[in-house]
Amino acid sequence: MAALSAAPWRRGCPPALQLVRRGSKAVTRHWKAMHFQRQKLMAVTEYVAPRPAVPPRCRPPDTGARVDQEDDGYVRLLQRQVQEAFRDNRMIAVCQYNAMAGDDVVLLRHYLRRHNIEVKFFLNEIVRPVLAQSKYRNLLPLFVARNLLLVSREAKAKEMLRVLKGVPQVNLLGACIDDTILSRQGVENFAKLPSLEVVQGQAVGALSLLPSQTSSLLQCSSAHLTALLDQHIRRLQEGEGGAPVQPSPEPTGAH
């Protein structure tokens, strides 16, 4: 008991200073060269690819040939669609397309389809080679950024401008109407023109007016001559009867 009372740390109190080892673990694995016999075994069992019957330098390069053929076929299909769009439609409008929501694109297609106007998306890499070899090569400067085409079998410029007025994300750059390339201002001026039926009616009215005037002028001379002859005959009859001759009023008519 006396020994316990003489050593306080033996009564359960921890010492004030404790030594704790916090160093890194000892590295037990070091790089070791492969044994000579193992090196010989690895060299003997190494895979050696068989040599081709024809040297590679004597063969044409066929890296990705099948993929290129498939891509070329798809590109030709898209170019054929571009040619059909320019051949079968009277109005082809080129517009700059900015980012817009999918619902807005669906609404734009719906409003344009009401007037028989279709929306077509083609890459510039597809359109430019087609236009370079056609009579529409003057439209090439318009295909720079992301564009879309508005095509119609009829010249619906007024309806197209009315729809695009409410869609600021789609800007009209130019158009080709009846094989005539027009700028934006030219399309707006074309939309202000009357319809073909009205112009045809005006032309028919102007053409029919001239023959009617000519016919009236020709009939006026004969009618005036007939009136003069009737008056002369009446005077002769009155002179034979002894009645005084009274001047009759001259017929009214165009001279």
Side-chain angles (χ1 to χ4, degrees):
M1 296 296 294
L4 292 177
S5 60
W9 56 274
R10 291 191 177 186
R11 292 197 299 266
C13 298
L17 180 62
Q18 294 182 1
L19 298 178
V20 179
R21 182 179 179 181
R22 297 184 178 274
S24 59
K25 295 182 179 180
V27 178
T28 57
R29 292 187 179 182
H30 295 277
W31 180 83
K32 187 177 180 180
M34 188 181 301
H35 195 268
F36 181 68
Q37 293 183 356
R38 183 177 179 85
Q39 292 181 8
K40 291 194 297 182
L41 179 62
M42 296 294 294
V44 171
T45 58
E46 184 179 1
Y47 174 75
V48 178
R51 298 182 60 182
V54 181
R57 63 178 180 274
C58 299
R59 293 183 300 175
D62 56 349
T63 303
R66 183 176 302 176
V67 178
D68 294 341
Q69 291 178 359
E70 293 179 358
D71 292 344
D72 293 341
Y74 183 63
V75 169
R76 288 196 300 269
L77 175 62
L78 295 178
Q79 291 179 351
R80 193 180 305 115
Q81 292 179 359
V82 174
Q83 294 175 357
E84 293 176 356
F86 277 85
R87 183 181 65 248
D88 300 337
N89 296 282
R90 291 179 53 192
M91 183 185 72
I92 302 99
V94 183
C95 301
Q96 181 183 3
Y97 175 73
N98 299 314
M100 56 189 304
D103 296 340
D104 297 338
V105 177
V106 173
L107 288 177
L108 176 63
R109 288 178 179 270
H110 174 67
Y111 291 145
L112 290 174
R113 196 175 291 115
R114 287 182 177 180
H115 307 288
N116 296 327
I117 302 175
E118 297 293 335
V119 180
K120 294 185 178 296
F121 290 90
F122 293 109
L123 296 177
N124 294 338
E125 293 79 4
I126 303 298
V127 180
R128 293 181 66 88
V130 177
L131 297 182
Q133 302 175 1
S134 65
K135 59 183 178 181
Y136 306 104
R137 61 177 61 91
N138 291 331
L139 289 174
L140 285 175
L142 302 180
F143 292 89
V144 177
R146 189 179 182 185
N147 301 326
L148 61 85
L149 298 180
L150 305 180
V151 298
S152 175
R153 296 182 180 272
E154 301 176 2
K156 298 290 189 68
K158 185 181 300 183
E159 293 79 0
M160 179 186 66
L161 291 177
R162 189 184 304 118
V163 175
L164 294 182
K165 188 177 181 181
V167 186
Q169 293 87 352
V170 179
N171 302 320
L172 179 64
L173 301 178
C176 180
I177 302 177
D178 293 334
D179 294 337
T180 302
I181 298 177
L182 302 174
S183 62
R184 178 184 177 88
Q185 187 63 35
V187 175
E188 293 177 355
N189 296 336
F190 180 83
K192 296 177 182 178
L193 297 177
S195 61
L196 181 61
E197 292 77 9
V198 176
V199 175
Q200 289 176 350
Q202 294 176 355
V204 171
L207 293 176
S208 61
L209 179 62
L210 295 177
S212 62
Q213 290 180 351
T214 304
S215 176
S216 62
L217 289 176
L218 294 176
Q219 292 178 1
C220 180
S221 301
S222 60
H224 184 61
L225 179 61
T226 304
L228 291 178
L229 292 176
D230 291 342
Q231 183 180 6
H232 181 66
I233 294 173
R234 191 164 50 252
R235 286 182 178 181
L236 291 177
Q237 292 177 355
E238 291 177 353
E240 292 177 356
V245 178
Q246 298 180 358
S248 61
E250 294 182 358
T252 59
H255 298 282

